[in-house]
Amino acid sequence: MPELPEVEVTRLGLLPQIAGRVISAVQVREPRLRWPISAAVRSLAGRTVKAIRRRGKYLLVDCGDGHLILHLGMSGSLRVLPPETPAAKHDHFDLVLGDRILRLRDPRRFGAVLWTTGEPDKHPLLANLGIEPLSRALDPARLHALTRGRRTAIKPFLMDAQHIVGVGNIYANESLFRAGIHPRMPAGRISIEKNKKLALAIKRTLRAAIRAGGSSLRDFVASDGSRGYFQSRYWVYDRQGKPCRRCGATIRRIVQGQRATFFCPRCQAR
């Protein structure tokens, strides 16, 4: 599933390609995504793309009198292509921008293409999202305050978008390793010193992933079709049975909240 780094890589790639361009047409081949593509989306021709920003894993395309809300779902990608590029089986949506198109490919159809004329941050999908991990809002004091009184393990806590948005499974695993925190440690028992390390580890992990173009494990590609390579730098994710790159201990795998968790029993001892 594309997580914050993959969505941010997509945004950075799209911004110079589509900002300032006029939408000349919209083509919908398959409207049955996570939510049906509405008639309002089909009627966007004539509007100008002003900017693109990210909120969590959502991309918000500012069209002046409203915003297109895009989500990549579990397998989606957005690419900028020449308008004559033939559509493949899973290419469900095109935003035509004169001499180029913005195309959504989504094999599993869990993505979203929505339109809102209201304040996008107040949209029901975004209104209850937590703090942005790359912003100044996530500092050690804030993270420490968020975790007080929480009995849930720190790994699922980090993945709860009502606390912190966009971290996701891969980067929660990697951040906890960098901070030296066991994934089963109750969030409320983590000290202020450990939370300082964790806040920094989250930021460093996400920034490193963005610089590497994200993680391309299956379907994800950037807007130019290139694949990310952060997966070659994982410390623990998907490395069960292999030696820890830092201490040599065997990486272990457990399941938390139906998601795979990977950790080093020595570097992340409880």
Side-chain angles (χ1 to χ4, degrees):
M1 178 183 293
E3 297 175 359
L4 186 151
E6 290 74 45
V7 179
E8 182 64 8
V9 166
T10 299
R11 187 191 73 83
L12 293 171
L14 293 180
L15 186 59
Q17 294 289 330
I18 72 172
R21 295 193 169 270
V22 176
I23 300 170
S24 49
V26 175
Q27 186 169 7
V28 179
R29 297 180 193 85
E30 173 55 81
R32 296 171 298 173
L33 302 182
R34 187 173 182 182
W35 297 279
I37 297 178
S38 68
V41 171
R42 299 171 187 260
S43 304
L44 293 179
R47 292 171 171 83
T48 299
V49 175
K50 306 289 186 182
I52 314 172
R53 66 182 178 92
R54 179 189 54 75
R55 180 71 173 106
K57 299 180 186 180
Y58 292 92
L59 288 173
L60 309 178
V61 182
D62 184 354
C63 296
D65 62 342
H67 286 77
L68 201 58
I69 301 176
L70 304 176
H71 194 282
L72 300 180
M74 299 184 69
S75 59
S77 62
L78 287 163
R79 294 187 62 186
V80 177
L81 300 166
E84 65 273 10
T85 305
K89 178 180 179 181
H90 302 297
D91 295 342
H92 303 313
F93 172 82
D94 287 351
L95 196 66
V96 184
L97 301 154
D99 64 351
R100 62 198 64 182
I101 57 174
L102 175 61
R103 174 166 289 171
L104 173 66
R105 172 181 170 80
D106 187 5
R108 299 185 69 177
R109 290 193 295 158
F110 279 100
V113 179
L114 305 169
W115 175 253
T116 181
T117 56
E119 173 58 43
D121 290 309
K122 296 181 180 179
H123 189 278
L125 292 174
L126 282 70
N128 295 315
L129 292 180
I131 59 178
E132 287 285 340
L134 292 177
S135 70
R136 293 182 178 179
L138 183 63
D139 60 19
R142 183 72 176 276
L143 182 57
H144 193 65
L146 284 173
T147 56
R148 293 312 85 192
R150 302 285 181 175
R151 295 183 179 180
T152 184
I154 186 61
K155 162 79 178 326
F157 176 89
L158 292 179
M159 294 178 59
D160 187 337
Q162 291 189 341
H163 302 311
I164 305 170
V165 294
V167 175
N169 193 38
I170 292 172
Y171 303 107
N173 279 285
E174 294 295 298
S175 298
L176 288 170
F177 174 83
R178 290 186 182 217
I181 298 173
H182 195 285
R184 280 181 169 157
M185 175 69 74
R189 290 179 57 190
I190 296 175
S191 68
I192 182 63
E193 292 303 319
K194 280 292 189 179
N195 272 316
K196 287 180 181 179
K197 292 182 178 181
L198 182 54
L200 182 60
I202 292 170
K203 292 177 185 291
R204 285 181 172 175
T205 299
L206 295 176
R207 287 170 179 155
I210 292 168
R211 289 194 298 270
S215 297
S216 291
L217 300 179
R218 293 183 182 177
D219 301 289
F220 176 74
V221 294
S223 60
D224 61 357
S226 62
R227 295 177 63 83
Y229 57 89
F230 191 68
Q231 62 273 12
S232 66
R233 301 180 179 180
Y234 290 161
W235 288 99
V236 291
Y237 184 80
D238 202 25
R239 298 192 69 245
Q240 71 271 22
K242 297 180 180 179
C244 174
R245 300 183 192 274
R246 181 175 291 167
C247 75
T250 302
I251 300 298
R252 295 180 183 176
R253 179 187 185 275
I254 58 175
V255 176
Q256 292 178 286
Q258 299 182 328
R259 303 298 299 275
T261 295
F262 306 87
F263 67 99
C264 172
R266 186 176 299 163
C267 296
Q268 296 170 262
R270 291 188 68 167

